[in-house]
Amino acid sequence: MNLRKLHYVTICCLLGLFVGLTACTNGGKQVSYDKGIDEEKDSFVNQAIAKDPEYALLLIDSLEDKRIISEYLSNYYRGQAYSKLGQELSAELYYKRALTNDEIYQEHPALYYYICDQLSTILTNKGDQDGAVSIATEAYARVQKDTTQAGHSWTAVLLHDIGYSLMQLGRHEEAEKSFTQSWNTLKQLVTENPSFDNLYTWARITYNIIDAYTSTEQFHQAEPWLAQGEEAITRLTSSPECPRQTAEEFIGGLNTHKALVYIKTGKRDEAEKAYKRFLNTTYSHTNNGLIEHSEYLELAERWNELANLTPRVDSVVQSWKIPYSLYYLKAYMKPYLMGYLKSGRKEEALKMAERLALVIDSVDNYERQHNAAELAIIYETQEKEKQIAEQQSQLTSQRYLSILVAVVIILVSMVIIAFLRLRSAESLAEKNRELKQKNDELMAANERAEESSRMKTDFIQQISHEIRTPLNVLSGFTQILTTPHVELEEKERMDINLRITQNTNRITELVNKMLELSDIHSKAVIERTDNVTTIQIAAQAAQDSGIQQAKHITFRLEYDQEADKIIRTNSHSAVRALILLLHNAQKFTKEGSVELKVSIDPEASMIVYTVTDTGIGIPPEESERIFEEFLQLDQYYDGTGIGLSVARSIAQRLGGNIWLDTTYTEGARFLFTLPDKQ
């Protein structure tokens, strides 16, 4: 569902995701990763990790020093121990060190696949989706050569890892193909061999697939998978080998996902039934069940219930002693604060906010300590000693250099002082001129501040008008639809539904613009990780803006053949900037045409999107002023006056720009550029 869900899934994977492949308990017998590993040693180390990870780290060091276990196995065990301690970044480092050469794959391929699966999960958890896909894809390419049942099982698991990361990257169609192939492979394995190991893997992967859709808010796409989840989990829980606790966990988790999908797709009755079924399970009263319960209440926006549950959930989380980090703030403390705020519990919200402020300092300390720990692991002792020797040598050289620099500085300072004394009279006159100039600038700034205050006042009034107008429409039509015994013709009802949809979208667009307003002055570069065609961006913007359905406008989309190419950018942000330009053209063109053209500027290595309309036009002298926030040149048109400001901010943060073509006089023409890079 969110960051907490990813963390929960990671822990589940470490403690028993793949029964029979990982060192988990199956009917009282411990099963190793493959027959090449000493089962007794493996069981001994894993038991130590489960009981006391910090002690286990000392044990692993001792076993490696005595050459009882190999270097790559010791790194693998360290990764397990750090995962148990909640230090995922350290676990990532040791898992990667275990894979530094091909020895582990040659000797223990199943363990190699397991580590790749864990690395993919950790990278997904920290937001490195590309890294997660790369790790899982490399392992998937290798496991396809394994034609055994275990090989087919790992093929499905790694395909699921690839699909989960692709889903987080927004590549939904590719993720769907990976999920479908993974699910069908596991179902076939269960058909051929309905062992508990295969049933468990099938159920867990199906559960994670549903979670991938809900965590990316693909609720309609998640709904068909609920039936497949029901099938896999029912088969698992019906097995005589399935522990009651495992069955309760899967049934409870599936019902929370059902409730969430149903409530987000408008099926409130089914959602409430699924939610009650979850509450009736013993799993809902466990620690993990409480976490899942709070996640559902958060995403379902049941704030009052979330606030009631928060003290219990907070107590559970604190008992886990998870290190304070940005992940901890986002996954736990932020939802608590939102629950209190949204439910109107100001006193609890204030206490949580104060606690959040205190935790931020701990986060900073944790990050510093973690960075220091990573450096200690990365650099070996010999390299450190060499570095110290080099530093001492450099220090001696720097001492001589410092003395020389000090002498030079003294001499230069004396020359400067003498020069300044000679120029003191002239300098005083210059300062007077500067003072007058600054005074003039201050007066101009004061005038701009007054103008800004006026514009903000107008903006607030405009926002009030923009919100009240669609709300009045929605209120009026709602009263008509809910009035008893009122009969409406189908045409009238369709017209009312259309107007309700239009005004709802109008409010949504307004809220989006207000949220985007906070990023107008941001200098942060927007991450460009999407490979998308230039025409796809234009087509998506035309579709999402609704300009093609505007009855008073003739819309055309044209492009130069050489401009139809793939570029690397942020697809969502690029489409958003183009939508704002199309909205602007549509608003100021009562009747006429709007053209969107895609071309290329080879000299500047830029893709150029040109939006041309036949509307009221913009005076050339206002070509820069129109990009100021809250500015409305014509007060008779609806709007907030921030659309162009937001659009230019997005364009510049993507490496491009937006400007007005002042040579065009038949209306308005805006040019939007994006870097032509793949």
Side-chain angles (χ1 to χ4, degrees), residues 19-21 26 147-153 184-203 232 235-236 239 241:
V19 179
L21 295 175
N26 184 359
T147 58
T148 65
Q149 277 202 349
H152 289 313
S153 179
N184 289 336
T185 299
L186 290 172
K187 183 176 182 180
Q188 181 64 31
L189 285 174
V190 168
T191 302
E192 296 171 358
N193 178 18
S195 65
F196 177 74
D197 297 354
N198 288 340
L199 287 169
Y200 186 94
T201 304
W202 187 31
R235 288 289 303 274
L236 171 67
S239 170
E241 297 179 71

Side-chain angles (χ1 to χ4, degrees), residues 69-285:
I69 58 176
S70 63
E71 181 181 356
Y72 68 80
L73 273 180
S74 63
N75 284 325
Y76 154 69
Y77 286 131
R78 290 186 184 103
Q80 293 283 75
Y82 279 113
S83 288
K84 181 70 174 175
L85 289 168
Q87 299 180 24
E88 297 295 334
L89 298 180
S90 296
E92 173 194 349
L93 178 62
Y94 279 110
Y95 282 142
K96 286 182 177 178
R97 293 184 69 174
L99 301 177
T100 48
N101 56 50
D102 224 26
E103 185 178 0
I104 190 170
Y105 173 68
Q106 299 298 332
E107 297 186 9
H108 311 296
L111 182 56
Y112 165 80
Y113 302 139
Y114 173 78
I115 293 175
C116 290
D117 168 63
Q118 294 308 299
L119 260 178
S120 177
T121 301
I122 291 172
L123 293 173
T124 298
N125 197 17
K126 67 184 277 190
D128 184 6
Q129 311 301 343
D130 290 326
V133 170
S134 177
I135 288 289
T137 301
E138 182 179 350
Y140 173 70
R142 287 184 164 183
V143 77
Q144 286 183 295
K145 301 174 185 177
D146 189 343
T147 58
T148 65
Q149 277 202 349
H152 289 313
S153 179
W154 277 114
T155 297
V157 170
L158 292 165
L159 263 177
H160 142 269
D161 289 336
I162 294 169
Y164 204 107
S165 297
L166 290 175
M167 184 65 71
Q168 303 300 317
L169 287 169
R171 295 159 63 179
H172 301 142
E173 292 183 3
E174 297 173 68
E176 174 76 21
K177 292 179 182 178
S178 296
F179 287 154
T180 301
Q181 185 177 345
S182 172
W183 194 86
N184 289 336
T185 299
L186 290 172
K187 183 176 182 180
Q188 181 64 31
L189 285 174
V190 168
T191 302
E192 296 171 358
N193 178 18
S195 65
F196 177 74
D197 297 354
N198 288 340
L199 287 169
Y200 186 94
T201 304
W202 187 31
R204 174 58 68 187
I205 293 303
T206 308
Y207 181 89
N208 289 352
I209 290 172
I210 298 172
D211 185 73
Y213 283 98
T214 57
S215 68
T216 54
E217 300 185 359
Q218 302 292 310
F219 299 108
H220 287 283
Q221 291 81 354
E223 190 167 1
W225 283 95
L226 295 178
Q228 292 168 280
E230 187 83 48
E231 179 183 356
I233 290 173
T234 299
R235 288 289 303 274
L236 171 67
T237 56
S238 300
S239 170
E241 297 179 71
C242 183
R244 180 178 179 83
Q245 180 180 350
T246 300
E248 288 281 343
E249 174 190 336
F250 274 103
I251 293 171
L254 178 62
N255 277 309
T256 57
H257 279 72
K258 280 184 176 181
L260 182 60
V261 170
Y262 287 146
I263 200 169
K264 292 294 186 179
T265 55
K267 300 179 180 180
R268 293 192 171 273
D269 291 340
E270 290 90 335
E272 189 61 29
K273 291 177 183 177
Y275 178 54
K276 288 182 178 178
R277 287 196 296 271
F278 163 73
L279 293 179
N280 288 333
T281 63
T282 56
Y283 172 67
S284 68
H285 303 293

Side-chain angles (χ1 to χ4, degrees), residues 398-436:
Q398 288 174 356
R399 285 175 181 170
Y400 291 115
L401 181 61
S402 298
I403 294 173
L404 179 61
V405 170
V407 172
V408 171
I409 290 175
I410 292 171
L411 292 174
V412 171
S413 298
M414 293 175 66
V415 173
I416 291 174
I417 291 171
F419 178 76
L420 289 176
R421 286 179 177 176
L422 294 174
R423 294 285 305 274
S424 60
E426 183 179 349
S427 176
L428 183 59
E430 181 65 22
K431 287 181 179 179
N432 287 334
R433 288 193 296 271
E434 290 178 0
L435 185 60
K436 183 179 182 303

Side-chain angles (χ1 to χ4, degrees), residues 343-613:
S343 61
R345 305 185 185 187
K346 297 181 179 179
E347 184 175 347
E348 289 90 338
L350 180 59
K351 291 180 180 178
M352 186 57 65
E354 291 174 348
R355 181 176 156 197
L356 186 64
L358 293 174
V359 168
I360 289 175
D361 291 335
S362 299
V363 169
D364 183 57
N365 291 333
Y366 171 74
E367 295 292 342
R368 286 202 302 268
Q369 291 172 3
H370 176 75
N371 291 337
E374 281 196 323
L375 287 174
I377 293 172
I378 293 172
Y379 296 107
E380 300 295 339
T381 304
Q382 185 176 0
E383 293 177 348
K384 286 185 179 180
E385 291 176 351
K386 180 180 178 181
Q387 186 182 36
I388 291 172
E390 291 176 352
Q391 288 176 347
Q392 289 177 342
S393 176
Q394 291 175 359
L395 184 59
T396 302
S397 300
Q398 288 174 356
R399 285 175 181 170
Y400 291 115
L401 181 61
S402 298
I403 294 173
L404 179 61
V405 170
V407 172
V408 171
I409 290 175
I410 292 171
L411 292 174
V412 171
S413 298
M414 293 175 66
V415 173
I416 291 174
I417 291 171
F419 178 76
L420 289 176
R421 286 179 177 176
L422 294 174
R423 294 285 305 274
S424 60
E426 183 179 349
S427 176
L428 183 59
E430 181 65 22
K431 287 181 179 179
N432 287 334
R433 288 193 296 271
E434 290 178 0
L435 185 60
K436 183 179 182 303
Q437 181 181 351
K438 289 181 179 179
N439 186 54
D440 294 340
E441 291 174 355
L442 184 61
M443 293 178 64
N446 186 51
E447 292 176 358
R448 288 196 299 271
E450 291 178 354
E451 176 66 12
S452 176
S453 177
R454 183 193 64 78
M455 289 168 60
K456 288 181 180 179
T457 300
D458 292 343
F459 170 73
I460 293 172
Q461 294 174 348
Q462 186 69 25
I463 284 292
S464 176
H465 170 73
E466 287 286 319
I467 292 176
R468 284 200 304 270
T469 300
L471 283 179
N472 288 337
V473 172
L474 292 174
S475 176
F477 283 129
T478 303
Q479 291 178 11
I480 293 174
L481 291 174
T482 56
T483 300
H485 311 302
V486 172
E487 296 183 1
L488 298 172
E489 295 182 0
E490 184 62 23
K491 183 177 180 180
E492 292 175 331
R493 187 175 295 277
M494 291 178 63
D495 181 62
I496 289 175
N497 290 338
L498 176 61
R499 290 174 180 269
I500 289 175
T501 301
Q502 289 174 340
N503 283 276
T504 301
N505 292 339
R506 184 175 174 183
I507 292 177
T508 302
E509 180 64 17
L510 179 62
V511 172
N512 288 339
K513 283 186 178 180
M514 292 175 67
L515 292 174
E516 290 169 332
L517 180 61
S518 62
D519 286 333
I520 285 181
H521 300 291
S522 174
K523 301 299 182 183
V525 175
I526 297 175
E527 187 176 5
R528 290 171 277 177
T529 57
D530 300 328
N531 291 322
V532 61
T533 67
T534 57
I535 307 306
Q536 184 179 351
I537 292 174
Q540 188 67 43
Q543 177 182 334
D544 293 351
S545 68
I547 196 170
Q548 294 169 315
Q549 288 75 42
K551 297 180 180 179
H552 66 289
I553 287 176
T554 302
F555 176 75
R556 297 191 307 276
L557 172 59
E558 298 182 359
Y559 60 91
D560 296 340
Q561 193 64 35
E562 63 271 20
D564 185 8
K565 60 188 300 185
I566 297 175
I567 62 174
R568 179 176 288 272
T569 186
N570 186 294
S571 177
H572 173 77
S573 298
V575 169
R576 180 60 182 160
L578 202 49
I579 286 173
L580 291 170
L581 291 180
L582 291 174
H583 281 171
N584 185 75
Q586 182 177 347
K587 180 171 68 172
F588 291 107
T589 305
K590 290 187 176 180
E591 290 187 12
S593 64
V594 175
E595 178 186 274
L596 171 57
K597 183 177 181 180
V598 187
S599 59
I600 188 170
D601 183 353
E603 293 184 3
S605 296
M606 287 287 182
I607 300 297
V608 183
Y609 294 90
T610 305
V611 178
T612 306
D613 64 57

Side-chain angles (χ1 to χ4, degrees), residues 31-45:
V31 183
S32 187
Y33 297 95
D34 63 39
K35 298 302 181 182
I37 298 179
D38 189 317
E39 294 183 12
E40 183 177 352
K41 294 175 185 174
D42 186 58
S43 174
F44 177 67
V45 176

